[in-house]
Amino acid sequence: MTTENNLDLAPIRFDTKIAVLLREDLEPWQRLNVTAFLVSGLGSELPEVVGEAYEDADGVPYLPMFRQPVLIFEGTKETLRTAHTRALSRALPRALFTSDLFTTGNDRDNRAAVRAVGTGELDLVGLLVYGPRNAVDKVLKGARMHP
């Protein structure tokens, strides 16, 4: 095997990180729902995070996915509040999910529910942060990897 081929097999290290922080008291279905909603907007706003489309051996096409892992963390209500403040101060791309969104049934009502509450009063249950690895690590300080 040539050196060039060996380099192709080297682990890929990303200088960015996609991270979701979930409040530790969520039900399992809520964790999945919040995670799906939080990551859904990232690719439309930052298309560079999305890789190429997939295709199986029979030529059946599949949608492209993120080109890097999404890391899932959990923490207390206070951990989320602190992470949110840090993400804002670093101007990192972010998405949020508040407890109010569990009671709405559509996108318009979701946006209205968030808009009705001041930044410091948001009842956060989930937060997505994307950016340079070190910056995201600092935002998530105090959170732990989801079990």
Side-chain angles (χ1 to χ4, degrees), residues 31-111:
R31 291 171 184 255
L32 296 170
N33 184 264
V34 170
T35 300
F37 269 91
L38 287 173
V39 300
S40 68
L42 190 58
S44 64
E45 287 297 310
L46 299 163
E48 67 270 15
V49 302
V50 178
E52 298 294 321
Y54 287 75
E55 183 177 293
D56 67 25
D58 294 322
V60 177
Y62 300 93
L63 294 172
M65 296 185 283
F66 293 133
R67 60 182 186 86
Q68 67 189 88
V70 176
L71 302 173
I72 312 294
F73 296 83
E74 69 174 5
T76 65
K77 186 174 187 172
E78 186 55 39
T79 302
L80 261 98
R81 183 180 307 277
T82 300
H84 183 244
T85 300
R86 290 174 182 157
L88 292 173
S89 72
R90 287 172 173 77
L92 293 175
R94 64 208 166 268
L96 61 81
F97 198 103
T98 67
S99 63
D100 295 330
L101 302 186
F102 288 126
T103 63
T104 60
N106 62 74
D107 187 49
R108 182 184 62 232
D109 290 342
N110 286 350
R111 288 191 317 275

